[in-house]
């Protein structure tokens, strides 16, 4: 639903978003009115104390104002619950009700001031319970007024000037943008949107030092967000409703699949090497997780971790100045020692320096696998988030690779930073001078996985035998030519429905298109969608089979765009397709396609998608294809499956199993290791 237009501007809230806040306020207002009525009835309207006339007027006026507010809230809740997301017709009277409710704040403010004056000047000799009740009423009034002011600031949209309506002769949601007036309007709106997003980013990152990299990152991210959000008129609750519907739709499709269906192995990776790759991956994941330092170590060892680090942190400070940088207390390095089991002498270089496009990493000698191991840290700071969000494409020419070579800009910059450190500062030369027979292994998780993959591509010609294990890498990372080139030396490991390996600009455009379609098709009010979605997320059950506006639609009409769907558009973009384009969600994206690096090893859970908190988890591992990650799957596990400790636990579970349990055809409970 487009944002509600009141007081001459568009707000970041729709007319069907007032059901829940209205109901919460109504509940407290009714209790407040009942308490005031009990107090007034108890004294029978007569008070034996100073200022009793003012007190009597205050209570009577309070009852009247509260009654009017309760009636207005009932009307707002009723009207807001009518219609659907794309059918606001039954809610056309909502602005009038909002104006009425706003007017009622004036007498409430006046009565709150009256009560405060009475308490401070004329309450001597009154019953303490009566004085306390008046004080509570005054405090409640000021609290609600303050909460309302904060709510107004929260839903304020800096880009909320009402947009010009399309001409009557034009179809709904379509404007003639070829004219000079239309082009100038779009250009001005886009420039304003970029400035607004830059201001938001500066406010969010006000604690970061200002430098050229930060300004460049802000500009890049602002243009990305402007391009992504500028063609739709959705409010946050519309997106939440769409995600709830998509999750249930995906679960229905998943339950209808054949449970015995087996995904074949990748032709380039025969089944017999799966166990070996899993063992190597589990070993490297320990180093990738260790790169996060003390926060992940404490999180994974809540009982013993703080005690161990409290003993070791100060003890490693003497060694910090030799090979460790940016770790002032030594806690990060101490946690790495605890997590990896290595000795101090096994480390060549450890850097916890962290800026935009500059992320922490360490280089160590892995004697167990006879490898010089480079581990890159994933996202752990606001600076890392800005690196993640610098998602434009950057040219990355590699000798010997034919085809277009480009990659994620922020990750390219981070990989270039580490490349210069390793090569120009002689870190790798130092490592191989100590262990010349060792091979080079690069690893990382999340942002570190993407950086490790690009770093491996940069170093491949100099180190032909290098290997890279990339855990939960970003989906929008490498061009097709570079992704194919990396298959010989990069293995990407993805767990379940992890969001990050499916995260790319084309995939986000596809998700936006799916949200537009599903919210425009659903003929249930938004509050019911959200209630059902919350119940389903918390307690499970069967996905709700929501009726849609398409139920009685004729066959020939299915190839035409829905008016409801088109009404959510400000202008047409690559994210919008008619209903006939369902089978090709990302083929027409304007952004350059980016893919996961290397061969993809996908770990999934066997058994039902929902389980109790105390049930065991069984995993299976299959070779997959990067094209299977072109769509974002909505699930509560889309975030938990990305956590490094969860992925490490899944890998350890698989490597503890017998060899035959790694084969997809053996999925019985007796052949699986419980976690």
């Amino acid at each position: 639903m487009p944002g509600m237009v009141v007081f001459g501007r568009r707000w970041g809230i729709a007319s069907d978003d007032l059901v829940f806040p209205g109901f919460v306020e109504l509940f407290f207002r009714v209790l407040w009115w009942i308490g005031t009525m009990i107090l007034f009835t108890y004294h029978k309207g007569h008070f034996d104390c100073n200022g009793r006339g003012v007190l009597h007027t205050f209570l009577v006026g309070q009852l009247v104002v509260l009654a009017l507010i309760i009636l207005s809230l009932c009307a707002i809740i009723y009207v807001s619950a009518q219609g659907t997301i794309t059918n606001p017709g039954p809610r056309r009277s909502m602005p009038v009700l909002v104006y009425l409710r706003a007017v009622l704040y004036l007498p409430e403010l006046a009565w709150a001031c009256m009560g405060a004056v009475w308490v401070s000047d004329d309450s001597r000799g009154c019953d303490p319970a009566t004085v306390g009740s008046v004080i509570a009423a005054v405090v409640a009034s000021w609290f609600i007024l303050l909460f309302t002011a904060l709510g107004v600031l929260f839903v304020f949209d800096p880009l909320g000037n009402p947009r010009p309506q399309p001409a009557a002769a034009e179809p709904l949601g379509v404007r003639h943008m070829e004219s000079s007036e239309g082009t100038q309007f779009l250009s001005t709106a886009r420039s304003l949107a970029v400035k607004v997003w830059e201001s938001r980013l500066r406010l969010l990152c006000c604690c970061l030092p200002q430098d050229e990299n930060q300004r460049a990152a802000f500009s890049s991210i602002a243009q990305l967000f402007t391009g992504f959000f500028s063609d739709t008129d959705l409010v946050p609750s519309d997106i939440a409703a769409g995600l709830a519907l998509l999750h249930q739709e995906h679960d229905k499709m998943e339950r209808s699949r054949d449970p015995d269906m087996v995904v074949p192995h990748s032709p380039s990776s025969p089944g017999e090497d799966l166990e070996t790759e899993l063992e190597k991956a589990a070993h490297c994941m320990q180093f990738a997780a260790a790169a996060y330092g003390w926060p992940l170590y404490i999180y994974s060892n809540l009982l013993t971790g703080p005690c161990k680090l409290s003993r070791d942190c100060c003890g490693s400070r003497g060694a910090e100045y030799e090979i460790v940088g940016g770790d002032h207390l030594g806690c990060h390095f101490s946690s790495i020692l605890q997590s990896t089991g290595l000795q101090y002498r096994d480390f060549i270089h450890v850097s916890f320096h962290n800026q935009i496009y500059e992320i922490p990493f360490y280089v160590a000698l892995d004697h167990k696998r006879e490898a010089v191991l480079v581990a890159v840290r994933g996202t752990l700071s606001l600076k890392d988030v800005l690196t993640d969000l610098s998602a434009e494409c950057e040219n990355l020419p590699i000798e010997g690779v034919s085809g277009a070579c480009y990659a994620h800009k922020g990750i390219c910059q981070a990989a270039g930073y580490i490349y210069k450190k390793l090569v120009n500062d002689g870190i790798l030369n130092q490592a191989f001078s100590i262990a010349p027979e060792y091979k080079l292994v690069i690893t990382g998780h999340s942002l570190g996985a993407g950086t490790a993959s690009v770093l491996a591509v940069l170093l491949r010609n100099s180190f032909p035998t290098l290997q890279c294990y990339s855990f939960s890498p970003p989906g929008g990372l490498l061009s097709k030519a570079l992704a194919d080139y990396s298959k010989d030396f990069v293995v990407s490991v993805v767990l379940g429905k992890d969001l990050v390996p499916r995260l790319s600009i084309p995939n986000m455009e596809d998700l936006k298109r799916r949200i537009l379609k599903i919210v425009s098709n659903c003929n249930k009010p938004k509050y019911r969608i959200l209630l059902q979605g919350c119940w389903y997320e918390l307690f499970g059950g069967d996905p709700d089979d929501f009726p849609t506006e398409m139920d009685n639609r004729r066959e020939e009409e299915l190839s035409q765009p829905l008016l409801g769907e088109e009404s959510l558009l400000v202008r047409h973009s690559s994210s919008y397709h008619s209903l006939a384009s369902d089978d090709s969600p990302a083929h027409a994206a304007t952004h350059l396609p980016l893919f996961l690096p290397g061969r993809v090893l996908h770990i999934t859970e066997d058994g039902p998608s929902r389980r109790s908190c105390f049930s065991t988890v069984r995993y299976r591992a299959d070779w997959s294809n990067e094209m299977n990650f072109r769509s974002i799957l909505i699930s509560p596990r889309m975030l938990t499956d990305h956590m490094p400790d969860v992925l490490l636990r899944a890998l350890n579970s698989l490597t503890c199993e017998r060899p035959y349990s790694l084969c997809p055809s053996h999925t019985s409970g007796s052949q699986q290791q419980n976690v």
Side-chain angles (χ1 to χ4, degrees):
M1 168 62 195
M4 184 166 53
V5 177
V6 291
F7 300 108
R9 68 175 298 109
R10 177 193 179 276
W11 297 82
I13 188 172
S15 59
D16 54 356
D17 285 337
L18 300 178
V19 175
F20 297 119
F23 183 81
V24 171
E25 184 181 357
L26 178 64
F27 175 76
F28 287 106
R29 294 287 188 180
V30 170
L31 292 181
W32 189 352
W33 189 89
I34 293 174
T36 305
M37 178 59 73
I38 291 174
L39 178 64
F40 186 80
T41 305
Y42 176 76
H43 290 282
K44 298 180 180 179
H46 301 286
F47 301 91
D48 296 328
C49 61
N50 294 332
R52 52 182 173 269
V54 176
L55 178 60
H56 184 275
T57 303
F58 173 79
L59 292 178
V60 172
Q62 189 92 106
L63 289 172
V64 174
V65 172
L66 286 175
L68 293 175
I69 291 176
I70 289 172
L71 291 175
S72 67
L73 289 174
C74 289
I76 288 174
I77 294 171
Y78 175 78
V79 174
S80 183
Q82 305 304 306
T84 64
I85 294 177
T86 53
N87 179 25
R91 302 189 297 272
R92 64 173 61 92
S93 60
M94 182 58 68
V96 176
L97 295 176
V98 171
Y99 293 140
L100 175 62
R101 178 65 188 89
V103 168
L104 291 175
Y105 282 115
L106 297 178
E108 181 175 17
L109 176 61
W111 253 253
C113 294
M114 179 189 297
V117 170
W118 179 84
V119 169
S120 62
D121 295 339
D122 300 325
S123 61
R124 293 183 302 275
C126 287
D127 181 13
T130 302
V131 177
S133 300
V134 174
I135 293 175
V138 172
V139 171
S141 295
W142 285 112
F143 177 80
I144 290 178
L145 290 170
L146 176 62
F147 185 80
T148 301
L150 292 177
V152 170
L153 292 177
F154 183 76
V155 300
F156 178 79
D157 185 359
L159 303 174
N161 290 329
R163 298 182 175 96
Q165 296 298 321
E170 294 176 328
L172 185 60
V174 181
R175 292 193 187 96
H176 181 61
M177 292 301 178
E178 300 299 328
S179 65
S180 59
E181 182 181 354
T183 303
Q184 183 179 4
F185 169 78
L186 263 185
S187 176
T188 303
R190 184 175 181 86
S191 299
L192 177 60
V194 170
K195 291 180 180 178
V196 167
W197 279 109
E198 286 184 353
S199 300
R200 289 169 173 171
L201 291 170
R202 281 195 296 270
L203 180 62
L204 180 65
C205 308
C206 58
C207 57
L208 298 183
Q210 299 289 328
D211 56 25
E212 185 177 349
N213 280 343
Q214 187 192 67
R215 288 189 290 270
F218 284 176
S219 177
S220 174
I221 296 169
Q223 292 180 15
L224 174 66
F225 283 4
T226 299
F228 184 76
F229 291 107
S230 63
D231 62 339
T232 60
D233 202 4
L234 295 173
V235 297
S237 60
D238 296 334
I239 298 175
L243 294 176
L245 292 172
L246 286 176
H247 179 208
Q248 296 179 65
E249 181 184 61
H250 174 75
D251 281 359
K252 284 189 289 186
M253 295 173 59
E254 199 171 53
R255 294 182 185 188
S256 65
R257 291 175 182 169
D258 183 1
D260 297 326
M261 182 181 65
V262 175
V263 179
H265 289 303
S266 169
S268 62
S269 306
E272 53 265 27
D273 75 343
L274 183 58
E275 180 188 358
T276 302
E277 293 291 2
L278 279 170
E279 290 176 352
K280 293 179 180 178
H283 179 74
C284 288
M285 183 59 200
Q286 294 178 347
F287 295 92
Y292 283 97
W294 68 262
L296 182 62
Y297 181 78
I298 295 293
Y299 175 76
S300 303
N301 303 273
L302 291 176
L303 298 179
T304 61
C307 296
K308 290 181 179 179
L309 288 187
S310 63
R311 294 197 310 265
D312 299 338
C313 283
C314 296
S316 63
R317 291 193 67 181
E320 176 189 1
Y321 301 102
E322 298 180 17
I323 64 169
V324 182
D327 187 17
H328 301 294
L329 295 178
C331 294
H332 284 305
F333 186 55
S334 297
S335 67
I336 292 178
L337 292 174
Q338 293 284 350
S339 300
T340 61
L342 299 180
Q343 303 297 318
Y344 167 72
R345 62 178 178 271
D346 296 325
F347 289 86
I348 307 299
H349 180 82
V350 181
S351 171
F352 291 99
H353 169 76
N354 192 201
Q355 291 294 333
I356 300 174
Y357 305 146
E358 299 174 3
I359 58 180
F361 71 99
Y362 67 87
V363 181
L365 299 178
D366 179 12
H367 301 295
K368 182 178 180 180
R369 295 285 178 174
E370 296 186 345
V372 173
L373 190 138
V374 180
V376 187
R377 196 190 76 180
T379 302
L380 197 63
S381 70
L382 190 56
K383 301 166 187 175
D384 297 332
V385 173
L386 295 177
T387 301
D388 283 316
L389 293 177
S390 299
E392 295 178 350
C393 291
E394 182 171 289
N395 289 329
L396 187 67
I398 300 297
E399 183 180 353
V401 180
S402 59
C405 295
Y406 51 88
H408 184 290
K409 176 184 176 180
I411 293 177
C412 270
Q413 297 283 337
Y417 160 76
I418 297 178
Y419 177 86
K420 293 176 182 177
K421 290 284 185 180
L422 295 177
V423 177
N424 297 351
D425 293 358
I427 296 175
L428 288 183
N429 287 338
Q430 179 185 353
F432 283 106
S433 66
I434 299 174
E437 72 282 3
Y438 281 15
K439 61 185 177 182
L440 179 61
V441 176
I442 309 175
T443 189
H445 173 267
S446 188
L447 171 62
T451 305
S453 301
V454 176
L455 182 61
V457 170
L458 294 174
L459 291 171
R460 169 68 168 175
N461 289 329
S462 301
F463 300 89
T465 61
L466 74 78
Q467 289 182 305
C468 175
Y469 287 89
S470 175
F471 301 98
S472 306
L477 185 62
L478 299 176
S479 64
K480 182 62 175 174
L482 288 178
D484 291 340
Y485 170 69
S486 66
K487 290 183 185 296
D488 292 334
F489 54 92
V490 177
V491 173
S492 292
V493 182
V494 178
L495 175 62
K497 300 176 181 178
D498 189 350
L499 168 67
V500 173
R502 296 173 169 86
L503 206 56
S504 66
I505 296 178
N507 286 3
M508 289 298 294
E509 290 284 354
D510 170 50
L511 177 64
K512 180 171 64 176
R513 182 196 64 86
R514 287 190 288 150
I515 290 175
L516 285 169
K517 176 170 292 186
I518 202 163
V519 299
S520 62
N521 286 349
C522 185
N523 67 2
K524 295 295 181 183
K526 189 191 297 182
Y527 80 94
R528 288 188 57 184
I529 298 174
L530 294 175
L531 282 176
Q532 165 67 19
C534 290
W535 180 272
Y536 184 74
E537 299 296 340
L538 294 174
F539 305 106
D542 294 327
D544 193 7
D545 189 14
F546 281 105
T548 71
E549 302 284 2
M550 296 170 54
D551 285 344
N552 299 317
R553 201 173 283 267
R554 296 194 305 272
E555 183 75 20
E556 60 270 16
E557 290 179 325
L558 294 180
S559 61
Q560 302 298 323
L562 285 176
L563 289 181
E565 183 180 356
E566 206 167 309
S567 69
L568 296 175
L569 293 168
V570 175
R571 59 180 175 83
H572 288 293
S573 75
S574 60
S575 65
Y576 177 76
H577 302 274
S578 69
L579 295 176
S581 63
D582 240 2
D583 296 332
S584 53
H587 72 280
T590 58
H591 299 281
L592 294 173
L594 294 171
F595 301 90
L596 285 170
R599 295 177 292 158
V600 182
L601 186 57
H602 193 200
I603 299 174
T604 55
E605 291 185 11
D606 272 340
S609 59
R610 288 188 178 270
R611 60 180 189 277
S612 66
C613 297
F614 303 100
S615 62
T616 58
V617 184
R618 300 182 179 91
Y619 295 99
R620 60 183 288 172
D622 302 288
W623 290 108
S624 187
N625 187 287
E626 68 272 10
M627 302 305 289
N628 294 332
F629 298 88
R630 292 190 305 163
S631 180
I632 295 174
L633 305 180
I634 306 302
S635 168
R637 296 208 302 262
M638 63 193 293
L639 297 179
T640 57
D641 283 349
H642 185 69
M643 295 297 293
D645 60 312
V646 177
L647 178 54
L648 179 59
R649 187 162 59 245
L651 284 167
N652 288 335
S653 172
L654 285 169
T655 52
C656 289
E657 297 172 357
R658 298 177 180 178
Y660 59 75
S661 68
L662 300 176
C663 178
S665 61
H666 300 289
T667 58
S668 64
S670 61
Q671 296 167 345
Q672 298 288 344
Q673 174 71 24
N674 296 341
V675 176

